């Protein structure tokens, strides 16, 4: 387990070092220490939206958690998803609640990960809409959806930049966009774009968020588990 954890850490910190070299050194030191301490104790359990809803409850204001109800502790890692943040269709109070829960998890000393099921800007439908095969190409520079995509990234940047602790310091998060890319069920999947286009999508996103002052993000590359050959 420690070897696996350190490999994951290495992936995170290498990606982060490429994007933010000036800050990466201190972040790497902190994450190495935390991961090494926790891997001596055992596996770090994670749960999505742990304090947002659970079994027979939703948006309780008493810091409720199904994990805590069962084992007496909050999960070491909590994940949240920013689906529809680019469309503005979800209730604003839901995102504010997410900010609050992220702050609380950080204050506990836990990890926070964020995923993004981004809207298919060509069709206006959700991330699982694969009825078009050129969405990635059309959101890249010179594509007809390029400006609209940059506006989505601006919204994303504003959310990341708003994540502050009680002292006003930025809260670190692990961001894992464009996940399960080797699958075929998202508009950025292996059947919907070329490897070159997929890489360009990553570079565009990281570069734009950096321009908008986002410095509290570690980028996680997370393909799906349907890998059967070395070529995959």
């Amino acid at each position: 387990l420690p070897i696996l954890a350190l490999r994951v850490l290495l992936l995170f910190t290498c990606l982060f070092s490429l994007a933010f070299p000036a800050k990466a050194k201190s972040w790497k030191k902190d994450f190495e220490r935390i991961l090494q301490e926790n891997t001596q104790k055992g596996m770090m359990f994670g749960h999505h939206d742990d304090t947002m809803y659970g079994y027979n409850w939703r948006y309780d204001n008493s810091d409720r958690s199904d994990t805590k109800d069962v084992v007496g502790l909050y999960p070491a890692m909590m994940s949240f998803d920013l689906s529809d943040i680019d469309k503005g269709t979800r209730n604003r109070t839901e995102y504010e609640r997410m900010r609050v829960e992220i702050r609380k998890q950080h204050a506990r000393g836990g990890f926070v990960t964020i995923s993004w099921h981004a809207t298919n800007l060509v069709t206006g439908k959700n991330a699982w809409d694969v009825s078009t095969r050129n969405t990635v190409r059309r959101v890249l520079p010179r594509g007809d959806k390029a400006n609209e995509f940059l506006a989505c990234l601006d919204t994303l940047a504003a959310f990341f930049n708003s994540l502050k602790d009680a002292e006003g310091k930025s809260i670190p998060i692990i961001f894992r966009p464009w996940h399960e890319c080797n699958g075929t069920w998202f508009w950025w999947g292996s059947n919907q774009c070329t490897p070159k286009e997929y890489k360009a999508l990553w570079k565009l996103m990281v570069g734009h968020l950096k321009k908008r002052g986002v410095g509290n993000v570690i980028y996680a590359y997370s393909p799906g588990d349907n890998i059967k050959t070395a070529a995959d």
Side-chain angles (χ1 to χ4, degrees):
L1 179 60
I3 294 175
L4 175 60
L6 288 174
R7 285 176 178 171
V8 174
L9 166 68
L10 181 61
L11 173 61
F12 289 158
T13 52
C14 285
L15 289 173
F16 185 63
S17 297
L18 292 174
F20 306 103
K23 298 181 180 180
K25 191 172 183 179
S26 61
W27 278 55
K28 180 180 179 182
K29 183 178 179 180
D30 289 341
F31 267 74
E32 281 181 342
R33 177 181 55 79
I34 294 171
L35 278 176
Q36 286 175 350
E37 288 175 357
N38 281 279
T39 52
Q40 299 306 312
K41 302 174 184 177
M43 181 168 57
M44 288 182 285
F45 174 79
H47 190 205
H48 182 65
D49 280 347
D50 182 78
T51 51
M52 300 283 278
Y53 50 82
Y55 184 70
N56 285 335
W57 63 273
R58 189 174 184 85
Y59 300 132
D60 191 300
N61 290 320
S62 62
D63 290 335
R64 189 168 181 182
S65 156
D66 281 0
T67 305
K68 189 171 186 292
D69 286 348
V70 173
V71 301
L73 294 169
Y74 292 98
M77 181 174 288
M78 284 188 195
S79 63
F80 302 91
D81 189 84
L82 296 179
S83 60
D84 293 336
I85 194 172
D86 42 12
K87 294 176 67 176
T89 54
R90 284 172 73 180
N91 194 320
R92 288 186 179 181
T93 58
E94 196 169 344
Y95 290 112
E96 181 52 40
R97 176 61 183 265
M98 198 181 299
R99 288 188 187 92
V100 170
E101 297 305 329
I102 289 172
R103 292 185 191 114
K104 289 180 179 179
Q105 175 67 357
H106 175 65
R108 296 183 193 108
F111 290 93
V112 175
T113 73
I114 291 180
S115 56
W116 181 30
H117 287 85
T119 302
N120 185 327
L121 294 179
V122 174
T123 65
K125 297 180 181 180
N126 62 31
W128 290 267
D129 180 17
V130 293
S131 59
T132 57
R133 295 295 182 94
N134 59 357
T135 300
V136 172
R137 188 182 315 130
R138 292 174 66 175
V139 303
L140 293 175
R142 294 188 294 277
D144 62 314
K145 295 293 182 178
N147 289 336
E148 193 173 345
F149 182 62
L150 292 181
C152 293
L153 293 179
D154 285 341
T155 303
L156 208 63
F159 183 85
F160 291 152
N161 287 330
S162 73
L163 300 177
K164 308 286 186 181
D165 64 16
E167 298 178 354
K169 297 179 180 179
S170 294
I171 295 174
I173 61 169
I174 298 170
F175 182 40
R176 55 179 201 93
W178 320 130
H179 57 293
E180 299 171 12
C181 55
N182 53 326
T184 59
W185 43 87
F186 291 131
W187 58 259
W188 55 84
S190 59
N191 284 355
Q192 280 68 43
C193 66
T194 66
K196 183 177 180 180
E197 290 168 343
Y198 182 75
K199 293 173 186 177
L201 180 67
W202 265 93
K203 291 177 180 179
L204 172 63
M205 179 196 67
V206 173
H208 193 78
L209 293 181
K210 185 177 179 182
K211 288 179 183 177
R212 292 293 181 261
V214 175
N216 57 328
V217 168
I218 292 177
Y219 296 92
Y221 172 69
S222 53
D225 61 0
N226 55 324
I227 298 175
K228 296 178 172 49
T229 68
D232 292 340

